[in-house]
């Protein structure tokens, strides 16, 4: 009975893994479950971690770390056996992903290649990020320290995040700047990396507007000729369809 219960739980986990891959990776929608299980490195790393984590939890020495090392060599993904990972987790591509010892990951979280959930300092204890449910973290993002990334948040590619991120916020830049989005996005992963807020450009635009107002005031006081305010043009388009198909 116990063996059947464990087998049933494993089958359910594998089904969820295949479903997560198909939902969040368009390349997985045209292939069968067998090919996903055989050829998706993020799925391989997750399955290896589950076993290593359970061995670590019951106190088996050495073997969990050896499994983690072997998985890193095979997939390029390093997940510490002690890291806690929820259901519906998906790593797309995966090369260069690092998940530290005290990291905690909620349900339906998506990581892209090159993401680091790292620690700061040399002290023991909680030193890695906590990722709540429905978070999407873009390629190359670095999340460092015992911070919390709130429910439904989105971290832009190559962002460096060292402070807590509110729920349903978007983070961009180095260091990362949390930016509230208008209203709430639909629940679930978000792969639209084009239409991200740009807090630096917004700050420059605000300064330009302020300088224009000051120039206008000076011109009125001095009786000089008023010049048109400088225009700040975006370096990238901010409108258009979602490249992720949303």
């Amino acid at each position: 009975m116990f063996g059947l219960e464990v087998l049933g739980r494993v089958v359910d986990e594998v089904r969820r893994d295949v479903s997560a891959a198909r939902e969040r990776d368009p390349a997985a929608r045209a292939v069968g479950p067998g090919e996903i299980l055989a050829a998706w490195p993020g799925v391989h790393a997750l399955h290896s971690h589950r076993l290593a984590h359970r061995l670590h939890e019951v106190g088996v020495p050495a073997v969990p770390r050896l499994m983690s090392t072997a998985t890193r060599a095979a997939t390029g993904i390093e997940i510490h056996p002690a890291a806690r990972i929820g259901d519906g987790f998906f790593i797309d591509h995966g090369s260069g992903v690092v998940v530290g010892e005290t990291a905690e990951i909620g349900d339906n979280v998506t990581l892209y290649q090159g993401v680091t959930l790292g620690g700061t300092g040399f002290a023991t204890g909680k030193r890695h990020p906590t990722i709540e449910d429905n978070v999407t973290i873009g390629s190359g993002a670095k999340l460092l320290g015992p911070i919390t990334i709130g429910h439904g948040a989105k971290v832009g590619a190559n962002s460096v995040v060292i402070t807590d991120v509110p729920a349903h916020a978007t983070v961009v830049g180095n260091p990362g700047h949390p930016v509230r989005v208008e209203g709430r996005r639909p629940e679930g992963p978000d792969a639209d990396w084009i239409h991200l807020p740009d807090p630096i450009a917004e700050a420059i635009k605000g300064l330009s507007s302020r300088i224009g107002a000051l120039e206008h005031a000076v011109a009125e006081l001095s009786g000089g000729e008023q010049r048109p305010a400088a225009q700040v043009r975006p370096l990238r388009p901010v409108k258009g369809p979602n490249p992720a198909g949303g």
Side-chain angles (χ1 to χ4, degrees):
M1 181 65 70
F2 176 75
L4 292 177
E5 182 180 346
V6 171
L7 178 61
R9 186 168 68 246
V10 170
V11 170
D12 287 341
E13 289 175 344
V14 171
R15 284 176 178 168
R16 285 196 296 268
D17 297 337
V18 171
S19 177
R22 283 182 164 168
E23 288 174 1
R24 299 172 225 170
D25 185 357
R29 296 171 192 164
V31 302
E35 186 171 345
I36 293 173
L37 294 173
W40 260 245
V43 176
H44 297 165
L46 180 58
H47 290 172
S48 175
H49 169 73
R50 286 203 186 107
L51 179 56
H53 180 70
R54 285 165 184 161
L55 294 175
H56 175 82
E57 289 285 283
V58 298
V60 175
V63 175
R65 292 303 301 267
L66 292 174
M67 291 181 63
S68 175
T69 300
T71 301
R72 180 182 63 185
T75 67
I77 300 168
E78 180 178 352
I79 307 176
H80 193 284
R84 298 181 179 277
I85 298 177
D87 295 332
F89 180 60
F90 180 62
I91 303 174
D92 198 1
H93 298 291
S95 182
V97 167
V98 176
V99 179
E101 178 185 11
T102 61
E104 299 175 61
I105 300 175
D107 297 337
N108 302 315
V109 171
T110 304
L111 307 185
Y112 287 83
Q113 66 271 20
V115 168
T116 297
L117 305 183
T120 54
F122 300 104
T124 58
K126 176 65 172 172
R127 61 189 185 281
H128 297 91
T130 296
I131 313 298
E132 296 185 351
D133 299 345
N134 295 313
V135 171
T136 304
I137 304 177
S139 305
K142 312 301 178 188
L143 285 64
L144 305 176
I147 59 177
T148 297
I149 310 300
H151 180 106
K154 179 178 179 181
V155 180
N158 293 316
S159 298
V160 178
V161 184
I162 55 176
T163 58
D164 291 347
V165 175
H168 301 285
T170 298
V171 173
V172 295
N174 179 9
H177 301 273
V179 180
R180 287 283 188 178
V181 296
E182 294 181 3
R184 289 191 172 186
R185 294 186 294 103
E187 288 291 327
D190 180 2
D192 179 10
W193 303 109
I194 298 293
H195 306 95
L196 292 177
D198 189 342
I200 296 177
E202 291 173 1
I204 293 173
K205 187 175 181 180
L207 289 172
S208 176
S209 176
R210 181 62 176 166
I211 290 171
L214 291 172
E215 289 177 343
H216 179 76
V218 170
E220 285 186 342
L221 291 173
S222 64
E225 180 181 355
Q226 296 183 10
R227 297 181 180 180
Q231 298 296 318
V232 178
R233 293 181 296 176
L235 297 179
R236 56 180 173 79
V238 294
K239 296 183 179 179
N242 182 339

